[in-house]
Amino acid sequence: MLEHVRQTDPDVYALIKAEHHRQADGLELIASENFVSEAVLETVGTVLTNKYAEGYPGKRYYGGCRYYDDIERLGIARAKKLFGAEHANLQPHSGASANFAVYTAVMKPGETVLAMRLDHGGHLTHGSPVNFSGRMYNVVAYGVRESDQRIDYDEVERLAHQHKPRMIVAGASAYPRTLDFPRFASIAKAVGAVLFVDMAHIAGLVAAGEHPSPVPHADYVTTTTHKTLRGPRGGMILCRESLAKTLDSRVFPGAQGGPLMHVVAAKAVCLQEALTPAFAEYQRQIVKNARALAQGLLAQGVKLTTGGTDNHLMLIDLRGTGVTGNVLEDALGEADITVNKNMVPYDPEKPATTSGVRVGTPAVTTRGMGEAEMSAIADLIARVLRAPTDAASLAAVRADVRALAARFPLYARLVAALG
Ligand code: DSN
């Protein structure tokens, strides 16, 4: 295992080995991360990395692409079947490049887009002023209500009628509740806007029927493949057949050159996995685990935005505790629990500080943990929150984290081979 890297580059080898242990020994609660199968891992590390395959199956700009054509066709067919979509493009290198392709397929620079504020749970590429989406387009932002931290669909409707956007964007990175795609679609239809749903966080739940699908309602749907979908890092776009030609041209040659075909192949492998009953059961467990973790945290007196969760994540609201998001992220990190600080809606703190921490269950569920372990994890988080600067207490939590993680081995064969 990795014997060549070990010999030729001991520095990188040592870091890879250390990261293997970090993932296996701790608890991964970042809501947008997961652990891919060994089949996906193997596929990413194949000779498929060697080849240029600019273009699409049957229409490449390089020779020698016959196997790549078949791989990409397989992946596309699986994506269409899994999500009931008319067309799929598996080439985007990331969620951001997938979204870039959709923006450029629909809008001219300067046109108006209505999208969810990043600091209310949206995404960077949904109009943040520091992102291409905020720099190239006129962004009108909607958010959540202060009273219950839920999307105010009446506000979305009002803003849509007032600003007549060319496109409405739905989808979130830190919103713990079910999204109402039919409502977004009826608002978009009423003002003649294109509806674009970024389902990156919930794609696995959608595939398994654990969250309503945006596909029947939206003109374009994008996702990353590495979150709940549990594939390699990358992006994907679904759309109606009538929009496919322009969309494909905005991915290549519009935004990208050669696709990462080792990653496209790994996407095909992950999509095949996602079509199995075992994957649907996994997604059901993610949701059950999120509910159990939320209940455990609430029972410990920890406040959550919206008071709980419908999906795979929750947002701890630290306002009034005297602890900020960055402090809790660091303290949990000391205890080998990995999370990310996150703005809560109407946060008085800056993005580098925040009053929130986002917590998700996809990765620990992949390890085989269930509701009993979620309740234990809630206790561990609460212990850290009570004494975030107490080194002895953090060390005691870390010992308990290690013991819990050891009961649910991760990549055991690989970790053993690395030594
Ligand atoms: N960066 C991603 C996340 O962590 O949610 C959003 O796409």
PDB file of all heavy atoms in Angstrom, residues 10-38:
ATOM      1  N   PRO A  10       9.125  10.336   1.016  1.00  0.00           N
ATOM      2  CA  PRO A  10       8.761  10.028   2.410  1.00  0.00           C
ATOM      3  C   PRO A  10       8.022  11.167   3.095  1.00  0.00           C
ATOM      4  O   PRO A  10       7.216  10.921   4.001  1.00  0.00           O
ATOM      5  CB  PRO A  10      10.113   9.791   3.095  1.00  0.00           C
ATOM      6  CG  PRO A  10      11.120   9.689   2.013  1.00  0.00           C
ATOM      7  CD  PRO A  10      10.545  10.289   0.756  1.00  0.00           C
ATOM      8  N   ASP A  11       8.247  12.397   2.647  1.00  0.00           N
ATOM      9  CA  ASP A  11       7.575  13.537   3.306  1.00  0.00           C
ATOM     10  C   ASP A  11       6.069  13.483   3.048  1.00  0.00           C
ATOM     11  O   ASP A  11       5.258  13.581   3.974  1.00  0.00           O
ATOM     12  CB  ASP A  11       8.128  14.867   2.774  1.00  0.00           C
ATOM     13  CG  ASP A  11       9.599  15.027   3.102  1.00  0.00           C
ATOM     14  OD1 ASP A  11      10.029  14.452   4.125  1.00  0.00           O
ATOM     15  OD2 ASP A  11      10.312  15.692   2.337  1.00  0.00           O
ATOM     16  N   VAL A  12       5.693  13.328   1.756  1.00  0.00           N
ATOM     17  CA  VAL A  12       4.262  13.268   1.440  1.00  0.00           C
ATOM     18  C   VAL A  12       3.669  11.986   2.022  1.00  0.00           C
ATOM     19  O   VAL A  12       2.560  11.992   2.568  1.00  0.00           O
ATOM     20  CB  VAL A  12       4.030  13.358  -0.085  1.00  0.00           C
ATOM     21  CG1 VAL A  12       2.593  13.008  -0.436  1.00  0.00           C
ATOM     22  CG2 VAL A  12       4.336  14.778  -0.568  1.00  0.00           C
ATOM     23  N   TYR A  13       4.414  10.886   1.950  1.00  0.00           N
ATOM     24  CA  TYR A  13       3.919   9.622   2.511  1.00  0.00           C
ATOM     25  C   TYR A  13       3.552   9.796   3.991  1.00  0.00           C
ATOM     26  O   TYR A  13       2.480   9.373   4.434  1.00  0.00           O
ATOM     27  CB  TYR A  13       4.981   8.524   2.364  1.00  0.00           C
ATOM     28  CG  TYR A  13       4.575   7.249   3.060  1.00  0.00           C
ATOM     29  CD1 TYR A  13       3.676   6.369   2.467  1.00  0.00           C
ATOM     30  CD2 TYR A  13       5.056   6.954   4.342  1.00  0.00           C
ATOM     31  CE1 TYR A  13       3.265   5.216   3.123  1.00  0.00           C
ATOM     32  CE2 TYR A  13       4.648   5.809   5.007  1.00  0.00           C
ATOM     33  CZ  TYR A  13       3.755   4.943   4.386  1.00  0.00           C
ATOM     34  OH  TYR A  13       3.339   3.820   5.042  1.00  0.00           O
ATOM     35  N   ALA A  14       4.449  10.437   4.740  1.00  0.00           N
ATOM     36  CA  ALA A  14       4.207  10.593   6.184  1.00  0.00           C
ATOM     37  C   ALA A  14       2.940  11.404   6.440  1.00  0.00           C
ATOM     38  O   ALA A  14       2.175  11.113   7.366  1.00  0.00           O
ATOM     39  CB  ALA A  14       5.408  11.262   6.834  1.00  0.00           C
ATOM     40  N   LEU A  15       2.707  12.394   5.585  1.00  0.00           N
ATOM     41  CA  LEU A  15       1.513  13.233   5.769  1.00  0.00           C
ATOM     42  C   LEU A  15       0.237  12.466   5.397  1.00  0.00           C
ATOM     43  O   LEU A  15      -0.796  12.591   6.070  1.00  0.00           O
ATOM     44  CB  LEU A  15       1.646  14.515   4.942  1.00  0.00           C
ATOM     45  CG  LEU A  15       2.763  15.447   5.457  1.00  0.00           C
ATOM     46  CD1 LEU A  15       3.088  16.523   4.429  1.00  0.00           C
ATOM     47  CD2 LEU A  15       2.365  16.077   6.788  1.00  0.00           C
ATOM     48  N   ILE A  16       0.323  11.671   4.336  1.00  0.00           N
ATOM     49  CA  ILE A  16      -0.851  10.855   3.965  1.00  0.00           C
ATOM     50  C   ILE A  16      -1.169   9.878   5.095  1.00  0.00           C
ATOM     51  O   ILE A  16      -2.327   9.698   5.492  1.00  0.00           O
ATOM     52  CB  ILE A  16      -0.600  10.078   2.653  1.00  0.00           C
ATOM     53  CG1 ILE A  16      -0.456  11.043   1.475  1.00  0.00           C
ATOM     54  CG2 ILE A  16      -1.741   9.082   2.386  1.00  0.00           C
ATOM     55  CD1 ILE A  16      -0.028  10.377   0.167  1.00  0.00           C
ATOM     56  N   LYS A  17      -0.124   9.270   5.630  1.00  0.00           N
ATOM     57  CA  LYS A  17      -0.329   8.301   6.718  1.00  0.00           C
ATOM     58  C   LYS A  17      -0.954   8.983   7.946  1.00  0.00           C
ATOM     59  O   LYS A  17      -1.893   8.458   8.556  1.00  0.00           O
ATOM     60  CB  LYS A  17       1.040   7.697   7.079  1.00  0.00           C
ATOM     61  CG  LYS A  17       0.972   6.663   8.158  1.00  0.00           C
ATOM     62  CD  LYS A  17       2.345   6.042   8.375  1.00  0.00           C
ATOM     63  CE  LYS A  17       2.406   5.452   9.772  1.00  0.00           C
ATOM     64  NZ  LYS A  17       3.697   4.845  10.067  1.00  0.00           N
ATOM     65  N   ALA A  18      -0.447  10.150   8.256  1.00  0.00           N
ATOM     66  CA  ALA A  18      -0.990  10.878   9.415  1.00  0.00           C
ATOM     67  C   ALA A  18      -2.473  11.210   9.194  1.00  0.00           C
ATOM     68  O   ALA A  18      -3.290  11.117  10.111  1.00  0.00           O
ATOM     69  CB  ALA A  18      -0.186  12.154   9.652  1.00  0.00           C
ATOM     70  N   GLU A  19      -2.805  11.586   7.957  1.00  0.00           N
ATOM     71  CA  GLU A  19      -4.202  11.927   7.658  1.00  0.00           C
ATOM     72  C   GLU A  19      -5.096  10.687   7.739  1.00  0.00           C
ATOM     73  O   GLU A  19      -6.231  10.754   8.211  1.00  0.00           O
ATOM     74  CB  GLU A  19      -4.302  12.602   6.283  1.00  0.00           C
ATOM     75  CG  GLU A  19      -5.720  12.873   5.786  1.00  0.00           C
ATOM     76  CD  GLU A  19      -6.578  13.785   6.689  1.00  0.00           C
ATOM     77  OE1 GLU A  19      -6.044  14.411   7.616  1.00  0.00           O
ATOM     78  OE2 GLU A  19      -7.801  13.827   6.456  1.00  0.00           O
ATOM     79  N   HIS A  20      -4.567   9.542   7.277  1.00  0.00           N
ATOM     80  CA  HIS A  20      -5.322   8.295   7.424  1.00  0.00           C
ATOM     81  C   HIS A  20      -5.699   8.099   8.885  1.00  0.00           C
ATOM     82  O   HIS A  20      -6.845   7.775   9.213  1.00  0.00           O
ATOM     83  CB  HIS A  20      -4.452   7.100   7.001  1.00  0.00           C
ATOM     84  CG  HIS A  20      -4.786   6.555   5.664  1.00  0.00           C
ATOM     85  ND1 HIS A  20      -5.811   5.671   5.445  1.00  0.00           N
ATOM     86  CD2 HIS A  20      -4.213   6.764   4.463  1.00  0.00           C
ATOM     87  CE1 HIS A  20      -5.853   5.353   4.161  1.00  0.00           C
ATOM     88  NE2 HIS A  20      -4.891   6.012   3.538  1.00  0.00           N
ATOM     89  N   HIS A  21      -4.737   8.279   9.764  1.00  0.00           N
ATOM     90  CA  HIS A  21      -4.992   8.064  11.194  1.00  0.00           C
ATOM     91  C   HIS A  21      -5.939   9.121  11.745  1.00  0.00           C
ATOM     92  O   HIS A  21      -6.797   8.812  12.570  1.00  0.00           O
ATOM     93  CB  HIS A  21      -3.670   8.029  11.973  1.00  0.00           C
ATOM     94  CG  HIS A  21      -2.965   6.711  11.820  1.00  0.00           C
ATOM     95  ND1 HIS A  21      -3.408   5.563  12.444  1.00  0.00           N
ATOM     96  CD2 HIS A  21      -1.909   6.342  11.070  1.00  0.00           C
ATOM     97  CE1 HIS A  21      -2.626   4.548  12.093  1.00  0.00           C
ATOM     98  NE2 HIS A  21      -1.714   4.998  11.262  1.00  0.00           N
ATOM     99  N   ARG A  22      -5.783  10.367  11.275  1.00  0.00           N
ATOM    100  CA  ARG A  22      -6.695  11.412  11.772  1.00  0.00           C
ATOM    101  C   ARG A  22      -8.144  11.034  11.441  1.00  0.00           C
ATOM    102  O   ARG A  22      -9.027  11.115  12.300  1.00  0.00           O
ATOM    103  CB  ARG A  22      -6.356  12.769  11.133  1.00  0.00           C
ATOM    104  CG  ARG A  22      -7.149  13.946  11.729  1.00  0.00           C
ATOM    105  CD  ARG A  22      -7.018  15.214  10.892  1.00  0.00           C
ATOM    106  NE  ARG A  22      -7.731  15.113   9.630  1.00  0.00           N
ATOM    107  CZ  ARG A  22      -9.057  15.253   9.481  1.00  0.00           C
ATOM    108  NH1 ARG A  22      -9.816  15.515  10.521  1.00  0.00           N
ATOM    109  NH2 ARG A  22      -9.621  15.126   8.285  1.00  0.00           N
ATOM    110  N   GLN A  23      -8.356  10.586  10.200  1.00  0.00           N
ATOM    111  CA  GLN A  23      -9.726  10.232   9.812  1.00  0.00           C
ATOM    112  C   GLN A  23     -10.241   9.025  10.600  1.00  0.00           C
ATOM    113  O   GLN A  23     -11.412   8.982  10.995  1.00  0.00           O
ATOM    114  CB  GLN A  23      -9.795   9.942   8.300  1.00  0.00           C
ATOM    115  CG  GLN A  23      -9.560  11.183   7.450  1.00  0.00           C
ATOM    116  CD  GLN A  23      -9.785  10.967   5.959  1.00  0.00           C
ATOM    117  OE1 GLN A  23     -10.390  10.000   5.528  1.00  0.00           O
ATOM    118  NE2 GLN A  23      -9.282  11.888   5.147  1.00  0.00           N
ATOM    119  N   ALA A  24      -9.378   8.056  10.833  1.00  0.00           N
ATOM    120  CA  ALA A  24      -9.816   6.825  11.495  1.00  0.00           C
ATOM    121  C   ALA A  24      -9.978   6.998  13.002  1.00  0.00           C
ATOM    122  O   ALA A  24     -10.859   6.391  13.612  1.00  0.00           O
ATOM    123  CB  ALA A  24      -8.821   5.704  11.209  1.00  0.00           C
ATOM    124  N   ASP A  25      -9.154   7.818  13.613  1.00  0.00           N
ATOM    125  CA  ASP A  25      -9.121   7.880  15.087  1.00  0.00           C
ATOM    126  C   ASP A  25     -10.107   8.878  15.683  1.00  0.00           C
ATOM    127  O   ASP A  25     -10.398   8.834  16.877  1.00  0.00           O
ATOM    128  CB  ASP A  25      -7.707   8.264  15.569  1.00  0.00           C
ATOM    129  CG  ASP A  25      -6.678   7.211  15.177  1.00  0.00           C
ATOM    130  OD1 ASP A  25      -7.091   6.101  14.803  1.00  0.00           O
ATOM    131  OD2 ASP A  25      -5.463   7.518  15.229  1.00  0.00           O
ATOM    132  N   GLY A  26     -10.580   9.839  14.869  1.00  0.00           N
ATOM    133  CA  GLY A  26     -11.454  10.883  15.405  1.00  0.00           C
ATOM    134  C   GLY A  26     -12.886  10.731  14.902  1.00  0.00           C
ATOM    135  O   GLY A  26     -13.250   9.723  14.286  1.00  0.00           O
ATOM    136  N   LEU A  27     -13.691  11.751  15.188  1.00  0.00           N
ATOM    137  CA  LEU A  27     -15.091  11.764  14.746  1.00  0.00           C
ATOM    138  C   LEU A  27     -15.280  12.899  13.747  1.00  0.00           C
ATOM    139  O   LEU A  27     -15.026  14.062  14.069  1.00  0.00           O
ATOM    140  CB  LEU A  27     -16.032  11.970  15.937  1.00  0.00           C
ATOM    141  CG  LEU A  27     -16.088  10.814  16.940  1.00  0.00           C
ATOM    142  CD1 LEU A  27     -16.972  11.206  18.128  1.00  0.00           C
ATOM    143  CD2 LEU A  27     -16.604   9.535  16.288  1.00  0.00           C
ATOM    144  N   GLU A  28     -15.702  12.563  12.541  1.00  0.00           N
ATOM    145  CA  GLU A  28     -15.870  13.546  11.474  1.00  0.00           C
ATOM    146  C   GLU A  28     -17.332  13.997  11.452  1.00  0.00           C
ATOM    147  O   GLU A  28     -18.216  13.227  11.079  1.00  0.00           O
ATOM    148  CB  GLU A  28     -15.488  12.895  10.143  1.00  0.00           C
ATOM    149  CG  GLU A  28     -15.666  13.794   8.953  1.00  0.00           C
ATOM    150  CD  GLU A  28     -14.920  15.096   9.126  1.00  0.00           C
ATOM    151  OE1 GLU A  28     -13.694  15.102   9.098  1.00  0.00           O
ATOM    152  OE2 GLU A  28     -15.597  16.144   9.310  1.00  0.00           O
ATOM    153  N   LEU A  29     -17.548  15.240  11.852  1.00  0.00           N
ATOM    154  CA  LEU A  29     -18.933  15.745  11.899  1.00  0.00           C
ATOM    155  C   LEU A  29     -19.145  16.929  10.953  1.00  0.00           C
ATOM    156  O   LEU A  29     -20.150  17.630  11.060  1.00  0.00           O
ATOM    157  CB  LEU A  29     -19.292  16.146  13.326  1.00  0.00           C
ATOM    158  CG  LEU A  29     -19.370  15.002  14.356  1.00  0.00           C
ATOM    159  CD1 LEU A  29     -19.655  15.564  15.751  1.00  0.00           C
ATOM    160  CD2 LEU A  29     -20.423  13.972  13.982  1.00  0.00           C
ATOM    161  N   ILE A  30     -18.198  17.171  10.045  1.00  0.00           N
ATOM    162  CA  ILE A  30     -18.429  18.225   9.047  1.00  0.00           C
ATOM    163  C   ILE A  30     -19.528  17.728   8.110  1.00  0.00           C
ATOM    164  O   ILE A  30     -19.422  16.647   7.522  1.00  0.00           O
ATOM    165  CB  ILE A  30     -17.131  18.575   8.294  1.00  0.00           C
ATOM    166  CG1 ILE A  30     -16.167  19.271   9.268  1.00  0.00           C
ATOM    167  CG2 ILE A  30     -17.421  19.454   7.075  1.00  0.00           C
ATOM    168  CD1 ILE A  30     -14.829  19.668   8.688  1.00  0.00           C
ATOM    169  N   ALA A  31     -20.594  18.535   8.003  1.00  0.00           N
ATOM    170  CA  ALA A  31     -21.816  18.071   7.331  1.00  0.00           C
ATOM    171  C   ALA A  31     -21.623  17.818   5.841  1.00  0.00           C
ATOM    172  O   ALA A  31     -22.418  17.103   5.226  1.00  0.00           O
ATOM    173  CB  ALA A  31     -22.929  19.095   7.538  1.00  0.00           C
ATOM    174  N   SER A  32     -20.568  18.403   5.262  1.00  0.00           N
ATOM    175  CA  SER A  32     -20.349  18.271   3.819  1.00  0.00           C
ATOM    176  C   SER A  32     -19.266  17.249   3.492  1.00  0.00           C
ATOM    177  O   SER A  32     -18.812  17.193   2.357  1.00  0.00           O
ATOM    178  CB  SER A  32     -19.961  19.637   3.254  1.00  0.00           C
ATOM    179  OG  SER A  32     -18.904  20.195   4.015  1.00  0.00           O
ATOM    180  N   GLU A  33     -18.838  16.462   4.485  1.00  0.00           N
ATOM    181  CA  GLU A  33     -17.779  15.483   4.225  1.00  0.00           C
ATOM    182  C   GLU A  33     -18.304  14.070   4.418  1.00  0.00           C
ATOM    183  O   GLU A  33     -19.337  13.847   5.035  1.00  0.00           O
ATOM    184  CB  GLU A  33     -16.572  15.756   5.129  1.00  0.00           C
ATOM    185  CG  GLU A  33     -15.923  17.091   4.793  1.00  0.00           C
ATOM    186  CD  GLU A  33     -14.603  17.339   5.500  1.00  0.00           C
ATOM    187  OE1 GLU A  33     -14.046  16.397   6.095  1.00  0.00           O
ATOM    188  OE2 GLU A  33     -14.136  18.481   5.457  1.00  0.00           O
ATOM    189  N   ASN A  34     -17.538  13.114   3.868  1.00  0.00           N
ATOM    190  CA  ASN A  34     -17.946  11.717   3.955  1.00  0.00           C
ATOM    191  C   ASN A  34     -16.725  10.837   3.724  1.00  0.00           C
ATOM    192  O   ASN A  34     -15.625  11.348   3.447  1.00  0.00           O
ATOM    193  CB  ASN A  34     -19.034  11.430   2.905  1.00  0.00           C
ATOM    194  CG  ASN A  34     -20.024  10.391   3.401  1.00  0.00           C
ATOM    195  OD1 ASN A  34     -19.670   9.492   4.172  1.00  0.00           O
ATOM    196  ND2 ASN A  34     -21.259  10.505   2.969  1.00  0.00           N
ATOM    197  N   PHE A  35     -16.891   9.537   3.814  1.00  0.00           N
ATOM    198  CA  PHE A  35     -15.814   8.577   3.541  1.00  0.00           C
ATOM    199  C   PHE A  35     -16.250   7.721   2.366  1.00  0.00           C
ATOM    200  O   PHE A  35     -17.233   6.963   2.475  1.00  0.00           O
ATOM    201  CB  PHE A  35     -15.565   7.691   4.765  1.00  0.00           C
ATOM    202  CG  PHE A  35     -15.201   8.458   6.004  1.00  0.00           C
ATOM    203  CD1 PHE A  35     -15.999   8.393   7.133  1.00  0.00           C
ATOM    204  CD2 PHE A  35     -14.054   9.237   6.043  1.00  0.00           C
ATOM    205  CE1 PHE A  35     -15.660   9.094   8.282  1.00  0.00           C
ATOM    206  CE2 PHE A  35     -13.712   9.948   7.187  1.00  0.00           C
ATOM    207  CZ  PHE A  35     -14.519   9.878   8.317  1.00  0.00           C
ATOM    208  N   VAL A  36     -15.506   7.800   1.259  1.00  0.00           N
ATOM    209  CA  VAL A  36     -15.905   7.033   0.072  1.00  0.00           C
ATOM    210  C   VAL A  36     -15.607   5.557   0.280  1.00  0.00           C
ATOM    211  O   VAL A  36     -14.795   5.171   1.134  1.00  0.00           O
ATOM    212  CB  VAL A  36     -15.164   7.525  -1.197  1.00  0.00           C
ATOM    213  CG1 VAL A  36     -15.524   8.964  -1.497  1.00  0.00           C
ATOM    214  CG2 VAL A  36     -13.656   7.331  -1.091  1.00  0.00           C
ATOM    215  N   SER A  37     -16.245   4.726  -0.543  1.00  0.00           N
ATOM    216  CA  SER A  37     -15.982   3.287  -0.492  1.00  0.00           C
ATOM    217  C   SER A  37     -14.577   3.024  -1.015  1.00  0.00           C
ATOM    218  O   SER A  37     -13.982   3.845  -1.723  1.00  0.00           O
ATOM    219  CB  SER A  37     -16.995   2.549  -1.367  1.00  0.00           C
ATOM    220  OG  SER A  37     -16.743   2.857  -2.732  1.00  0.00           O
ATOM    221  N   GLU A  38     -14.076   1.837  -0.711  1.00  0.00           N
ATOM    222  CA  GLU A  38     -12.750   1.485  -1.248  1.00  0.00           C
ATOM    223  C   GLU A  38     -12.802   1.363  -2.770  1.00  0.00           C
ATOM    224  O   GLU A  38     -11.808   1.613  -3.451  1.00  0.00           O
ATOM    225  CB  GLU A  38     -12.236   0.205  -0.587  1.00  0.00           C
ATOM    226  CG  GLU A  38     -11.896   0.454   0.873  1.00  0.00           C
ATOM    227  CD  GLU A  38     -10.953  -0.563   1.475  1.00  0.00           C
ATOM    228  OE1 GLU A  38     -10.086  -1.091   0.752  1.00  0.00           O
ATOM    229  OE2 GLU A  38     -11.091  -0.833   2.685  1.00  0.00           O
TER     230      GLU A  38
END
